[in-house]
Amino acid sequence: MVTPKAHDVVLLCNPLAGGRWRALADVLDSEEAKGVRRIVTDEIDDVAEALAGVSQRARLLCVYGGDGTIYHVINQLLLRHPESLPRLAFLGGGTMNVTGRLCGMTGSPGDNFRNVMRAFMTDELHWRDVPVLKVSHGATTCYGFTFGMGPLVRIL
């Protein structure tokens, strides 16, 4: 068993997700964020480059962003490094947070991050395997597990 350390954690933040700057500051300025590797993207297309080497170094990837950010993160990880995926924690912080809530993240992004880090550092973090759906059309493959939820939720 490897003792959990803060440098085993990567915190990926998409500040454009929902424009919730105070919520992002609550995450980044927290005591629990000290020692973790922080990646703040300028736009959603930067996720691919940001994740290029993450899966080989991280045991836990915390994602600040909504469903769109999560979709990009899942796809980039599964397309590039399906054999060495870190554990994922979806903190919320976007306009649509259906996926994060589905995974039990019902508090604010800051509270979610602090709770995840405290549990991770004490080796008491509980995991749940969530199967993903693989959709291929020609040479294009996409992965996800909340396909179609965004427009449906917005209509309701």
Side-chain angles (χ1 to χ4, degrees), residues 23-45:
L24 176 58
D26 187 35
V27 173
L28 292 174
D29 294 341
S30 68
E31 185 67 30
E32 290 79 8
K34 293 180 180 173
V36 305
R37 181 173 171 218
R38 303 178 206 189
I39 301 172
V40 180
T41 62
D42 290 325
E43 57 186 54
I44 196 68
D45 292 334

Side-chain angles (χ1 to χ4, degrees), residues 48-68:
E49 184 179 335
L51 292 175
V54 166
S55 62
Q56 289 111 20
R57 294 189 298 259
R59 290 181 53 209
L60 174 64
L61 173 60
C62 296
V63 179
Y64 173 91
D67 293 333

Side-chain angles (χ1 to χ4, degrees), residues 39-121:
I39 301 172
V40 180
T41 62
D42 290 325
E43 57 186 54
I44 196 68
D45 292 334
D46 295 341
V47 168
E49 184 179 335
L51 292 175
V54 166
S55 62
Q56 289 111 20
R57 294 189 298 259
R59 290 181 53 209
L60 174 64
L61 173 60
C62 296
V63 179
Y64 173 91
D67 293 333
T69 304
I70 292 169
Y71 170 80
H72 283 283
V73 167
I74 289 171
N75 277 278
Q76 290 303 316
L77 288 173
L78 287 173
L79 291 171
R80 293 173 184 255
H81 307 288
E83 68 288 339
S84 59
L85 296 176
R87 302 289 183 154
L88 301 174
F90 305 130
L91 307 175
T95 305
M96 294 294 295
N97 294 302
V98 174
T99 308
R101 283 190 293 277
L102 175 75
C103 294
M105 298 295 177
T106 57
S108 71
D111 288 343
N112 291 338
F113 179 67
R114 284 186 284 279
N115 291 335
V116 165
M117 284 301 295
R118 288 177 193 141
F120 178 77
M121 296 302 290

